[in-house]
Each structure stands twice: as C-alpha cells, then as structure tokens.
C-alpha cells in the first residue's frame, strides 16, 4: 500500500493536534512542516522531518499528496492559494479565510485548478452530530420550528492580559461562534438572516461580554444563540461532550431543537416525545436517551482528507460550504455592531 504523504503548514497548538491525528492513521505520514518559528523547527528535527519557513518552500521542494493548513486565520488565504497553485488537496482550519472576498477567491481558484478544499469544522465528524442531523432532517421531531443554544463560560483573567484579546475581533462572536454557526447549518440547513444585541458592561473592553443572536433559517425555523465569556456555567459544547481535556466535562446539553412532534437535546442526544405524534401539553412527554460513540474527530477528519484526495469520497464541508458558515458568522458580528438585521444570500 502506498503511503499517503501530508505536509503541515503551521505547527502551533492546532497544528500539533493535527500531527497527533496523522500519527494515529496507518498508511498516512507527515513528511514536512512549514512554520517560521524555532519551536516548529525543533519539532521537525525531533521527528526527522524537513522544515520550511513557509508554504511555498515546502511545496516547491516536497512531494505531498495533501496539505493541512493550521496557520493563523489572516494567513489562510495566502497559504491555501499557494497549495492550490501546486494542485494539492487542502484541509484548512476554520474559518476558511478572514473575509468573504478571500473565501470567494479560494472557491474560484479551487475550481480553476480542479482541486478540493476541505474546511476544518471537526464537529461535523462526531457521530452525535451525524445522528442529530438524521433525526432532524428525517422528521423524527416533525417540522423544525425553533432552535435554542448557548455557549456561556468564564474565561480566566490571564486570557485577557494581551491587549489584542480585548478587541472586538477577539470576542466570542468572531472567536467562538463560527463553531456553533457551522453546527447549526449542518443540522438545520442554511441561515437566511441574523440580528443581535450585545453588551460589554462587565469588562468595558471593546469586545463583547455577552451577545444574544436571533436567527432565521431558510426552512423558516427560528433560533436564538447566547454567547458570553464572562459567565460561569456548564453550558458549552466542549463541556457537554468532553471534546477538549482542558475543559472539565459537565455532560450538560447546550443546544435544543424543537419540532412540531418532539424535541432533541444536543450533543448528548435526548429525544423528547409524546406517545402520540399529535400529543400536547396535557399529556406526558418522555425522554429517549440515544447513545453515540465518542471518537477522535481530528482522526476522522484526517482519514476523510485522505479519502477525498484519493478520489474515494467528496468533502463533508468544502470551500463553498465553509464560506457560508463564515458569511453567517461575519453577519452576526455586523448585526451586533450595527443593530440591524442582516440578510444572507443562500
């Protein structure tokens, strides 16, 4: 069996997480790293790999089957375009780019080069997400009417020590919301419009302390999502599922989907229904716990990258799909600052 060769562009915290995933896959090998830092060079030496300062250096001198881009967001556009110039299959960390203009350029160039660009929204790979999507889209809770979710926690004070983390660009909308938006799009379909209200009356920084977002989906369902990085609570995806060992697992669900015949808690799936699909508030409603396995989503994502590059699968989330999650997230930011409803092209 031929070994599948991957080049890694960006070897920071998320880059090293991808390294761990590559190491777990038989027949897949990390062959080179591009990152200008001395720490990255040290990692390359310890692994016996070639190290390059940038994507151009790696791709001009190394034969790879695909690249993973885990550089800071502002670098995504340039690094993806370089990989596409060399006609490589690309997995780029979320968000696809920093702006919609850049995202559209990536989409066009990928089409011209006949290359696939995958966007690293790893939550789509969890079995709980895939099963929730089937439950909602197959009508087990009836016509979807509403969604309610939150991501509310208190970040430590040291987190805000760097001045840039007090700016709007570092607030929970642009830092954390894109994960939630992409999940909602995956489970419920495209978002048609967003509006928002925000406040910063605790820390009095430029960035928001809390934001309440109102959503309308293309299928006419409505939704709300609450975010705050100043409120101790058990209600975040990470704490609900235990995805990241840095954050204590609570098992408390953070999102609920309501249909005309039932409701679904997520990500630890609990399906609430009456005995009769036409049941109402006078009748008992009962929960059904739906067990799903916990996997390493980064390994699943890397395995999917290999399958796409080999022509065996199509992307779970390609450049166009990833750009729509970016568009909805940026719209929420504009709505919060302008106080207006933003309508999206879908």
């Amino acid at each position: 069996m031929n070994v599948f060769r991957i080049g890694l562009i960006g070897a920071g915290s998320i880059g090293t997480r991808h390294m761990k995933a590559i190491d777990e896959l038989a027949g897949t090998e990390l062959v080179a790293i591009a990152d200008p830092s001395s720490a990255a060079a040290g990692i390359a030496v310890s692994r016996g790999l070639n190290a390059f300062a940038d994507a151009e250096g790696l791709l001009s001198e190394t034969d790879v089957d695909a690249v993973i881009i885990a550089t800071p967001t502002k670098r995504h556009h340039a690094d993806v375009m370089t990989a596409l110039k060399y006609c490589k299959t690309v997995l780029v960390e979320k968000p696809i780019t920093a702006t919609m203009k850049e995202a559209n350029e990536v989409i066009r160039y990928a089409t011209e080069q006949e290359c696939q660009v995958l966007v690293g929204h790893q939550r789509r790979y969890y079995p709980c997400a895939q099963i929730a999507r089937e439950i909602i889209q197959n009508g087990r809770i009836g016509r979807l009417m509403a969604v309610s979710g939150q991501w509310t926690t208190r970040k430590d004070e040291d987190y805000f020590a760097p001045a840039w983390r007090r700016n709007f660009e570092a607030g929970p909308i642009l830092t954390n919301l894109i994960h939630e938006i992409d999940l909602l799009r995956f489970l419920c379909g495209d978002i048609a419009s967003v509006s928002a209200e925000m406040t910063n009356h605790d820390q009095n920084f430029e960035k928001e302390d809390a934001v309440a977002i109102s959503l309308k989906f293309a299928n006419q369902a409505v939704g709300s999502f609450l975010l705050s990085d100043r409120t101790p609570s058990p209600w975040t995806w990470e704490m609900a599922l235990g995805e990241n060992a840095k954050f204590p697992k609570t098992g408390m669900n953070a999102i609920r989907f309501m249909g005309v015949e039932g409701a679904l808690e997520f990500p630890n799936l609990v399906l609430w229904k009456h005995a009769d699909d036409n049941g109402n508030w006078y009748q008992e409603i009962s929960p059904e716990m739906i067990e799903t396995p916990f996997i390493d989503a980064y390994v699943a994502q890397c395995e999917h990258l290999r399958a796409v590059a080999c022509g065996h699968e199509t992307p779970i989330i390609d450049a166009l799909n990833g750009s729509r999650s970016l568009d909805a997230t940026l719209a929420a930011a504009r709505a919060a600052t302008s106080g207006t409803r933003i309508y999206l092209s879908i």
Side-chain angles (χ1 to χ4, degrees), residues 22-53:
I22 294 168
D23 291 343
E24 293 290 319
L25 280 179
T28 301
E29 182 180 0
L30 177 64
V31 297
I33 294 172
D35 189 308
S37 72
S38 58
I43 292 171
V45 169
S46 70
R47 286 174 162 258
L49 304 178
N50 290 326
F52 300 90

Side-chain angles (χ1 to χ4, degrees), residues 97-220:
T97 53
T99 69
M100 285 304 298
K101 178 179 181 294
E102 292 177 342
N104 289 331
E105 289 175 0
V106 165
I107 293 167
R108 286 194 296 270
Y109 195 37
T111 301
E112 289 174 11
Q113 296 291 87
E114 298 182 344
C115 294
Q116 297 282 14
V117 174
L118 291 70
V119 185
H121 285 286
Q122 83 281 357
R123 294 183 186 179
R124 294 194 182 206
Y125 294 82
Y126 283 101
C128 64
Q130 295 168 20
I131 293 172
R133 176 183 166 93
E134 292 170 5
I135 289 171
I136 294 167
Q137 298 198 355
N138 291 344
R140 288 188 65 188
I141 60 173
R143 181 184 299 112
L144 183 68
M145 296 300 294
V147 181
S148 174
Q150 62 188 97
W151 189 93
T152 50
T153 189
R154 184 181 175 97
K155 294 178 180 176
D156 57 284
E157 296 306 313
D158 288 345
Y159 179 90
F160 299 104
W164 66 268
R165 280 195 169 144
R166 305 174 188 183
N167 298 334
F168 181 73
E169 290 77 12
I173 296 176
L174 292 177
T175 302
N176 305 106
L177 180 63
I178 194 162
H179 283 300
E180 318 302 335
I181 288 288
D182 187 72
L183 260 182
L184 294 182
R185 288 188 57 253
F186 181 61
L187 299 176
C188 305
D190 276 322
I191 295 168
S193 66
V194 298
S195 61
E197 294 286 349
M198 70 175 183
T199 183
N200 62 351
H201 69 285
D202 180 36
Q203 290 179 301
N204 294 305
F205 296 154
E206 180 184 277
K207 66 93 185 171
E208 70 278 9
D209 291 330
V211 58
I213 297 167
S214 176
L215 307 162
K216 190 160 189 181
F217 293 85
N219 60 15
Q220 301 300 305

Side-chain angles (χ1 to χ4, degrees), residues 82-104:
T82 299
L84 291 175
K85 182 179 74 171
Y86 285 90
C87 295
K88 302 301 179 183
T89 301
V90 181
L91 168 63
V92 57
E93 261 302 316
K94 64 83 194 168
I96 179 172
T97 53
T99 69
M100 285 304 298
K101 178 179 181 294
E102 292 177 342
N104 289 331

Side-chain angles (χ1 to χ4, degrees), residues 285-300:
I285 188 166
S286 302
E288 175 191 348
M289 313 296 179
I290 301 173
E291 297 293 334
T292 62
F294 182 80
I295 67 165
D296 187 325
Y298 286 93
V299 172

